[in-house]
Amino acid sequence: MAAIPRAFAITAALAALLIAAAVVGQWAFSLSFEPDDLGFFTVNFFSFFTILSNVAAAAALAIGAWVTARGAGAPGWFWGVFGAVTTYMATTGVVYNTLLRGISLDQEATLGWSNEVLHLIGPILVVALWCVAPGRPALPWRHLALAAAFPLAWGAYTLLRGALVDWYPYPFTNPAQPGGYGAVALYLVAIAACIIGVDAAIVRVSRGRRAAGA
């Protein structure tokens, strides 16, 4: 295996382990506060867009490391998923560090090192690995629709479940805030626009390298 694929495989594997450890570490740390309802707590924990994005990122990086180490080309679906995951992680980093840093979220205490991995280090690593991934093809512009599908589903899930159990993962998703559902809609539209913009950059990077190598 050449130097670049080997370095990518090792770095991707280590990044996957780091992100997975951060997710498990935060879950265990929060669990140590002995929530009254373990099931409710766990569903809440995995209802955060950040957690879902990081779990998906750890899985994508692990798959990428495995197929690269084997010297086999990744299947076409993998690149679409990896690109979408990169978009979600980049968006997580941007939204958290501009809107949520310093705000206490309703999931008990925050584990410091895990919080930094999930919201800063992880997103940086995933974006960097996407940019240098060996064998990455040019993504079609219809990838923007794929990238938008999961956040739309997450937003619908968040509002429907929140109305049923009266719990929301982020302050800006809670209609009890000033402005009600109108304010929530504005926040979600802004995040959707951010996701589409980030994914457009992801697609452009992939197509730019293909053009440069043509």
Side-chain angles (χ1 to χ4, degrees), residues 2 19 22 31 48 66 92-94 110 138-139 146-147 152 173 187-188 214:
I19 292 171
L31 186 62
F48 284 94
W66 181 66
T92 291
V94 170
T110 298
L139 294 179
L146 170 65
L152 288 174
T173 60
Y187 276 116
L188 293 180

Side-chain angles (χ1 to χ4, degrees), residues 99-112:
L99 296 179
L100 298 173
R101 182 170 286 278
I103 296 177
S104 178
L105 300 180
D106 183 20
Q107 196 68 3
E108 298 294 347
T110 298
L111 185 59

Side-chain angles (χ1 to χ4, degrees), residues 55-72:
V55 169
L61 290 174
I63 293 171
W66 181 66
V67 297
T68 303
R70 289 178 63 240

Side-chain angles (χ1 to χ4, degrees), residues 92-183:
T92 291
V94 170
V95 171
Y96 177 82
N97 287 285
T98 57
L99 296 179
L100 298 173
R101 182 170 286 278
I103 296 177
S104 178
L105 300 180
D106 183 20
Q107 196 68 3
E108 298 294 347
T110 298
L111 185 59
W113 70 267
S114 172
N115 187 65
E116 291 305 307
V117 170
L118 297 176
H119 294 102
L120 182 62
I121 299 171
I124 291 173
L125 286 173
V126 172
V127 171
L129 285 166
W130 166 261
C131 291
V132 300
R136 188 198 64 219
L139 294 179
W141 286 108
R142 63 177 179 274
H143 188 265
L144 273 66
L146 170 65
F150 171 69
L152 288 174
W154 173 81
Y157 159 79
T158 297
L159 294 179
L160 289 173
R161 181 172 182 266
L164 292 174
V165 303
D166 193 28
W167 183 90
Y168 299 87
Y170 302 103
F172 60 81
T173 60
N174 191 341
Q177 67 179 298
Y181 281 100

Side-chain angles (χ1 to χ4, degrees), residues 181-199:
Y181 281 100
V184 172
L186 287 175
Y187 276 116
L188 293 180
V189 167
I191 292 173
C194 179
I195 287 172
I196 292 173
V198 171
D199 197 61

Side-chain angles (χ1 to χ4, degrees), residues 17-118:
L17 288 173
L18 177 63
I19 292 171
V23 172
V24 173
Q26 181 59 64
W27 181 82
F29 184 69
S30 298
L31 186 62
S32 69
F33 288 86
E34 299 182 5
D36 295 331
D37 188 332
L38 176 60
F40 183 68
F41 169 84
T42 301
V43 174
N44 287 352
F45 183 82
F46 287 100
S47 293
F48 284 94
F49 188 85
T50 293
I51 298 300
L52 294 173
S53 297
N54 276 273
V55 169
L61 290 174
I63 293 171
W66 181 66
V67 297
T68 303
R70 289 178 63 240
W77 62 263
F78 169 76
W79 295 109
V81 171
F82 189 17
V85 167
T86 302
T87 293
Y88 305 149
M89 288 293 282
T91 303
T92 291
V94 170
V95 171
Y96 177 82
N97 287 285
T98 57
L99 296 179
L100 298 173
R101 182 170 286 278
I103 296 177
S104 178
L105 300 180
D106 183 20
Q107 196 68 3
E108 298 294 347
T110 298
L111 185 59
W113 70 267
S114 172
N115 187 65
E116 291 305 307
V117 170
L118 297 176

